[in-house]
Amino acid sequence: MFRKLLNITHWSQKTRDATLHRDEAGLLHVRLLGGAEYGQLIYLGACPGAAVSRGRLHPGDLLLEVNQAPVPGLTLRDASELLGAIPGPVHLRTVPQGSQLNSDLRHFLKHTFTQGSADFELQECIRQNLYIRAVPCTTRAPREGERPGVDFHFVSLSEFQALERAGGLLETGKFDGNYYGTPVPPILPTDATLTLEPSMLRARARSKSLPSGAETRSAKEAAEGDPAGGRPQVPGAASNGYVTGSTSDQDVTAAGGEGTEHDGVTGQPGEQGHANAASRESRPTGNVPTRASIPR
C-alpha cells in the first residue's frame, strides 16, 4: 500500500500535456523562465495569449518536452530557439513543481537515484543537455586520446576549489581521489544567437556521468563566497554549440520570424554565479540511456 502511494505521488505520475498553435503572426505567446545558465530548469511563465487546442498551460510548471525533445538542462536561449524552430502544432509536456522536483538544478542533481528509475533518467537527460554548452572539468591528468577543452578541462586542485567556492559549478563529485565538476553554461553576449542542432538533444557519446561509487556533493556544501570577489573565469563554460551574430533575446516565434521581447530570468542576486557540477567519468556500459527520455 505504501509503495503504491509513493508511485501515485511521484512527479513522473503528474505530467501534463498541452498542444498549442501559432497565431497569424507566427507567435506562440509562451513565456519561458529559468534556464541552466541561471542554475535552473526551464519553467513556464504566464501565457495569456497562447492558443491552446488541447490541455492547459500552467504557469510555474517545469517544461519536460517540446514535441518529444527533452528540455531539462537546456539554457533559456536553447529552449527558446527549440520552440521557435517548430512551425506546426507544438506539443508540450510539463510537470508541476514540488518538493521532489523544482526549478533548482542543484537540488535535483545532488541526489543519487536507482539506475533505471524515472529520477535517474531525468538526471542523465539534464547532464546530457548541460554538456551541449559546458565542458566538464577535472583535477586528474589527461588520458591518452583525451583533448583538453573538448573531453574535459584539466585544472589544478586549487583552481577547482576556487570555482566551487565561487559557485561556478553546478554539481561536483570525487572519484578515485580526483574531483570532477560541470561549470554553469555561459550567458552568451547580447549580440549572439544560438543554433541548436536537433542531434544535440539525443544521447551523446561524450556525455558522461559520475563513475559508480563517486562521492557527490552540491555546490551549497562547498564554502561560500569568492575571496577575490565576483565570478571566476570558468574553464569549460565555452559553448559546444554554434554561435552566429544576431539579436540577443530569443522569442517563441516561427522559424526565422521576428518576435516580441522574450522575458527570461534577469540577473537576480547570486543567480548568474550559481552552477551545478556533474562529473562525467564513464559508467559501466549500459548505465546511460540510449535516448534522453522523459518518463511518460
Side-chain angles (χ1 to χ4, degrees):
M1 178 65 181
F2 181 67
R3 183 180 296 275
K4 184 179 295 186
L5 181 61
L6 285 178
N7 290 336
I8 294 175
T9 59
H10 192 265
W11 64 265
S12 61
Q13 302 301 312
K14 301 177 181 179
T15 59
R16 305 192 269 221
D17 295 288
T19 299
L20 51 157
H21 302 266
R22 300 184 181 279
D23 62 15
E24 294 181 354
L27 302 180
L28 284 174
H29 300 286
V30 172
R31 184 186 183 191
L32 300 182
L33 300 172
E37 67 268 53
Y38 303 106
Q40 296 182 317
L41 294 172
I42 298 291
Y43 61 98
L44 298 180
C47 308
V52 182
S53 61
R54 182 176 69 91
R56 180 182 172 189
L57 296 180
H58 301 263
D61 270 16
L62 299 175
L63 182 57
L64 296 179
E65 292 181 357
V66 174
N67 285 28
Q68 297 188 330
V71 172
L74 290 181
T75 64
L76 180 63
R77 303 283 297 277
D78 279 339
S80 298
E81 183 172 282
L82 177 62
L83 274 175
I86 300 173
V90 178
H91 307 286
L92 304 183
R93 171 155 291 180
T94 65
V95 66
Q97 297 191 47
S99 58
Q100 297 171 328
L101 181 63
N102 54 52
S103 63
D104 187 356
L105 272 170
R106 294 176 187 79
H107 173 78
F108 191 71
L109 288 176
K110 70 180 181 181
H111 295 292
T112 301
F113 299 109
T114 303
Q115 182 179 345
S117 67
D119 297 292
F120 179 90
E121 292 190 6
L122 180 58
Q123 274 191 340
E124 291 300 302
C125 169
I126 290 171
R127 288 167 179 150
Q128 288 170 9
N129 281 343
L130 284 174
Y131 294 138
I132 294 174
R133 301 299 177 196
V135 177
C137 55
T138 179
T139 60
R140 70 164 171 79
R143 294 171 181 164
E144 184 178 355
E146 288 184 332
R147 297 166 295 174
V150 177
D151 296 295
F152 286 97
H153 279 281
F154 299 97
V155 300
S156 66
L157 178 59
S158 60
E159 289 173 326
F160 187 94
Q161 290 172 336
L163 288 172
E164 189 176 23
R165 284 196 303 269
L169 300 174
L170 287 173
E171 182 185 23
T172 64
K174 184 179 181 181
F175 179 72
D176 198 22
N178 299 306
Y179 290 92
Y180 298 82
T182 299
V184 64
I187 300 173
L188 293 180
T190 57
D191 61 347
T193 258
L194 297 177
T195 299
L196 182 66
E197 297 292 338
S199 60
M200 291 180 176
L201 298 177
R202 296 294 181 267
R204 289 164 291 282
R206 67 181 299 275
S207 300
K208 304 173 185 177
S209 303
L210 280 172
S212 298
E215 301 172 8
T216 61
R217 59 175 178 162
S218 67
K220 292 182 180 178
E221 293 170 340
E224 294 183 356
D226 178 10
R231 180 176 174 176
Q233 180 65 36
V234 180
S239 169
N240 292 328
Y242 306 95
V243 181
T244 57
S246 186
T247 58
S248 60
D249 291 325
Q250 298 296 307
D251 186 41
V252 185
T253 65
E258 197 69 23
T260 58
E261 181 180 356
H262 182 78
D263 292 312
V265 176
T266 55
Q268 300 176 12
E271 277 192 341
Q272 295 186 8
H274 288 334
N276 292 324
S279 307
R280 60 169 194 172
E281 200 61 54
S282 57
R283 298 179 182 225
T285 302
N287 279 19
V288 180
T290 55
R291 177 182 182 275
S293 58
I294 302 297
R296 296 182 175 278

